Amino acid sequence: MDNSLPEVREGGCLCGAVRYRARGEPLRTLVCHCRFCQKMTGSTSYAESMFPVEAVEIDGELGTYAHRSQTSGKAVHLHFCPRCATTVTLTFDRWPQYRAVSRGTFDDPDSVGIGSHIWTESAQTGVMVPGGVDCFRQARALLDGTPVEPTRHPGPVEARGAA
Ligand SMILES: [Zn+2]
Ligand SMILES: [Zn+2]
Protein backbone atom coordinates (compact mmCIF):
# COMPACT_ATOMS: atom_id res chain seq x y z
CA MET A 1 0.00 0.00 0.00
CA ASP A 2 1.28 3.43 -0.94
CA ASN A 3 1.04 5.62 2.15
CA SER A 4 1.55 8.77 0.10
CA LEU A 5 -1.94 8.38 -1.36
CA PRO A 6 -4.34 10.68 0.41
CA GLU A 7 -7.23 9.12 2.26
CA VAL A 8 -10.47 9.04 0.33
CA ARG A 9 -13.88 9.28 1.94
CA GLU A 10 -17.00 8.28 0.06
CA GLY A 11 -20.58 9.24 0.54
CA GLY A 12 -23.81 10.06 -1.18
CA CYS A 13 -27.45 11.03 -0.95
CA LEU A 14 -30.29 9.10 0.63
CA CYS A 15 -31.40 7.35 -2.59
CA GLY A 16 -27.92 6.65 -3.95
CA ALA A 17 -28.31 8.56 -7.24
CA VAL A 18 -25.53 10.96 -6.21
CA ARG A 19 -22.18 9.64 -4.96
CA TYR A 20 -18.92 11.42 -4.23
CA ARG A 21 -15.31 10.87 -3.25
CA ALA A 22 -13.48 13.40 -1.08
CA ARG A 23 -9.68 13.18 -1.11
CA GLY A 24 -7.53 14.02 1.90
CA GLU A 25 -8.45 15.32 5.32
CA PRO A 26 -11.09 18.05 5.50
CA LEU A 27 -9.74 21.50 6.35
CA ARG A 28 -12.24 21.52 9.21
CA THR A 29 -15.55 20.05 10.26
CA LEU A 30 -18.06 22.22 12.03
CA VAL A 31 -21.66 22.46 13.13
CA CYS A 32 -23.59 25.58 12.18
CA HIS A 33 -26.58 26.71 14.22
CA CYS A 34 -27.58 29.65 12.00
CA ARG A 35 -31.17 30.09 10.89
CA PHE A 36 -30.23 29.41 7.25
CA CYS A 37 -28.85 25.98 8.20
CA GLN A 38 -31.87 25.28 10.38
CA LYS A 39 -34.22 26.00 7.46
CA MET A 40 -32.06 24.16 4.95
CA THR A 41 -31.99 20.97 7.01
CA GLY A 42 -35.37 21.36 8.65
CA SER A 43 -33.50 20.49 11.83
CA THR A 44 -31.46 22.03 14.63
CA SER A 45 -28.18 22.57 12.79
CA TYR A 46 -25.97 21.56 9.88
CA ALA A 47 -22.72 19.61 10.17
CA GLU A 48 -20.27 20.13 7.31
CA SER A 49 -16.71 19.27 6.36
CA MET A 50 -14.83 21.85 4.34
CA PHE A 51 -12.62 20.61 1.50
CA PRO A 52 -10.66 22.36 -1.24
CA VAL A 53 -13.16 22.46 -4.11
CA GLU A 54 -10.94 20.28 -6.33
CA ALA A 55 -10.70 17.52 -3.69
CA VAL A 56 -14.30 16.39 -4.17
CA GLU A 57 -15.40 14.37 -7.19
CA ILE A 58 -19.14 13.94 -7.71
CA ASP A 59 -21.04 11.30 -9.72
CA GLY A 60 -24.66 12.05 -10.59
CA GLU A 61 -26.65 15.17 -11.34
CA LEU A 62 -27.20 17.73 -8.60
CA GLY A 63 -29.91 20.37 -8.49
CA THR A 64 -28.87 23.76 -7.16
CA TYR A 65 -30.46 26.57 -5.23
CA ALA A 66 -28.73 29.88 -4.56
CA HIS A 67 -29.51 31.62 -1.28
CA ARG A 68 -28.23 35.10 -0.55
CA SER A 69 -26.63 35.30 2.89
CA GLN A 70 -28.16 37.99 5.07
CA THR A 71 -24.83 38.68 6.74
CA SER A 72 -22.40 38.80 3.80
CA GLY A 73 -24.83 39.51 0.93
CA LYS A 74 -23.06 36.74 -1.03
CA ALA A 75 -24.76 33.62 -2.34
CA VAL A 76 -24.53 30.17 -0.79
CA HIS A 77 -25.29 27.43 -3.34
CA LEU A 78 -27.11 24.33 -2.11
CA HIS A 79 -26.44 21.25 -4.25
CA PHE A 80 -29.03 18.53 -3.72
CA CYS A 81 -30.19 15.28 -5.23
CA PRO A 82 -33.20 16.10 -7.44
CA ARG A 83 -34.68 12.69 -6.68
CA CYS A 84 -34.46 12.43 -2.87
CA ALA A 85 -33.73 16.09 -1.94
CA THR A 86 -30.66 15.35 0.19
CA THR A 87 -28.41 18.42 0.36
CA VAL A 88 -25.10 16.76 -0.43
CA THR A 89 -22.80 19.78 -0.66
CA LEU A 90 -22.61 23.57 -0.54
CA THR A 91 -20.46 26.05 -2.42
CA PHE A 92 -19.95 29.71 -1.58
CA ASP A 93 -19.51 32.87 -3.63
CA ARG A 94 -17.57 34.25 -0.66
CA TRP A 95 -15.10 31.31 -0.60
CA PRO A 96 -14.97 29.85 -4.14
CA GLN A 97 -11.97 27.69 -3.17
CA TYR A 98 -14.00 25.60 -0.69
CA ARG A 99 -16.72 23.01 -0.93
CA ALA A 100 -18.70 21.94 2.13
CA VAL A 101 -19.73 18.30 2.25
CA SER A 102 -22.73 17.48 4.45
CA ARG A 103 -21.33 15.35 7.27
CA GLY A 104 -24.41 13.17 7.43
CA THR A 105 -23.92 12.05 3.81
CA PHE A 106 -20.52 10.40 4.42
CA ASP A 107 -20.70 6.63 4.44
CA ASP A 108 -18.89 6.98 7.79
CA PRO A 109 -19.78 10.36 9.32
CA ASP A 110 -17.71 9.59 12.42
CA SER A 111 -14.55 9.52 10.29
CA VAL A 112 -14.58 13.33 10.47
CA GLY A 113 -14.48 14.86 13.96
CA ILE A 114 -16.37 18.07 14.76
CA GLY A 115 -13.97 20.79 15.91
CA SER A 116 -16.23 23.80 16.22
CA HIS A 117 -19.79 25.04 16.60
CA ILE A 118 -20.69 28.35 14.98
CA TRP A 119 -23.65 30.76 15.19
CA THR A 120 -24.40 29.48 18.69
CA GLU A 121 -26.38 32.68 19.40
CA SER A 122 -29.19 31.37 17.17
CA ALA A 123 -29.09 27.76 18.41
CA GLN A 124 -32.48 26.26 19.21
CA THR A 125 -33.54 25.86 22.83
CA GLY A 126 -32.21 22.71 24.45
CA VAL A 127 -29.50 22.02 21.87
CA MET A 128 -26.24 21.13 23.62
CA VAL A 129 -22.60 21.30 22.58
CA PRO A 130 -20.02 18.92 24.04
CA GLY A 131 -17.00 20.11 25.99
CA GLY A 132 -13.67 20.67 24.29
CA VAL A 133 -14.95 22.18 21.05
CA ASP A 134 -14.48 25.74 19.80
CA CYS A 135 -17.68 27.77 20.10
CA PHE A 136 -18.38 30.97 18.19
CA ARG A 137 -21.35 33.26 18.75
CA GLN A 138 -21.43 33.97 15.00
CA ALA A 139 -18.96 33.02 12.25
CA ARG A 140 -15.33 32.00 12.84
CA ALA A 141 -14.17 35.27 11.30
CA LEU A 142 -15.48 38.78 10.82
CA LEU A 143 -16.61 39.84 7.34
CA ASP A 144 -13.19 41.42 6.78
CA GLY A 145 -11.53 38.05 7.53
CA THR A 146 -10.29 38.83 11.05
CA PRO A 147 -10.42 35.57 13.05
CA VAL A 148 -12.66 35.51 16.13
CA GLU A 149 -11.36 34.05 19.41
CA PRO A 150 -13.30 30.83 20.23
CA THR A 151 -14.80 29.95 23.61
CA ARG A 152 -14.22 26.44 24.99
CA HIS A 153 -15.96 24.66 27.83
CA PRO A 154 -14.66 21.68 29.82
CA GLY A 155 -18.02 19.92 29.64
CA PRO A 156 -21.36 20.05 27.79
CA VAL A 157 -23.26 23.35 27.78
CA GLU A 158 -26.38 24.64 26.08
CA ALA A 159 -25.34 25.84 22.62
CA ARG A 160 -27.18 29.16 22.73
CA GLY A 161 -25.09 30.50 25.61
CA ALA A 162 -21.88 28.71 24.70
CA ALA A 163 -19.99 31.67 23.21
ZN1 LIG B 1 -30.79 10.95 -3.96
ZN1 LIG C 1 -25.28 28.03 8.96
Side-chain angles (χ1 to χ4, degrees):
M1 186 178 158
D2 184 354
N3 287 324
S4 69
L5 283 174
E7 189 170 353
V8 175
R9 285 182 181 79
E10 295 191 28
C13 66
L14 186 59
C15 77
V18 175
R19 295 287 299 167
Y20 63 81
R21 281 171 303 284
R23 270 179 294 107
E25 288 304 309
L27 303 162
R28 58 180 159 271
T29 299
L30 49 88
V31 173
C32 184
H33 299 267
C34 82
R35 288 290 297 144
F36 163 81
C37 287
Q38 292 177 21
K39 285 275 190 186
M40 176 182 75
T41 59
S43 185
T44 54
S45 56
Y46 176 64
E48 59 191 326
S49 288
M50 305 295 285
F51 287 91
V53 75
E54 68 278 1
V56 185
E57 210 179 296
I58 296 166
D59 291 329
E61 289 302 311
L62 286 165
T64 62
Y65 171 71
H67 176 84
R68 186 182 295 274
S69 160
Q70 282 179 356
T71 38
S72 71
K74 302 264 176 86
V76 178
H77 303 270
L78 284 67
H79 306 278
F80 53 88
C81 173
R83 186 159 167 243
C84 72
T86 305
T87 300
V88 176
T89 170
L90 308 181
T91 54
F92 311 90
D93 279 358
R94 194 173 163 207
W95 306 289
Q97 70 274 36
Y98 299 139
R99 178 185 284 283
V101 174
S102 303
R103 191 199 192 207
T105 66
F106 286 114
D107 292 343
D108 180 10
D110 289 339
S111 73
V112 289
I114 292 165
S116 55
H117 285 249
I118 66 171
W119 287 95
T120 59
E121 70 172 20
S122 49
Q124 291 175 27
T125 306
V127 174
M128 305 293 289
V129 296
V133 295
D134 290 343
C135 297
F136 299 87
R137 215 161 62 80
Q138 297 186 346
R140 295 168 49 94
L142 305 178
L143 283 179
D144 67 6
T146 310
V148 174
E149 206 49 47
T151 304
R152 276 176 168 243
H153 300 271
V157 291
E158 197 165 358
R160 191 181 290 175

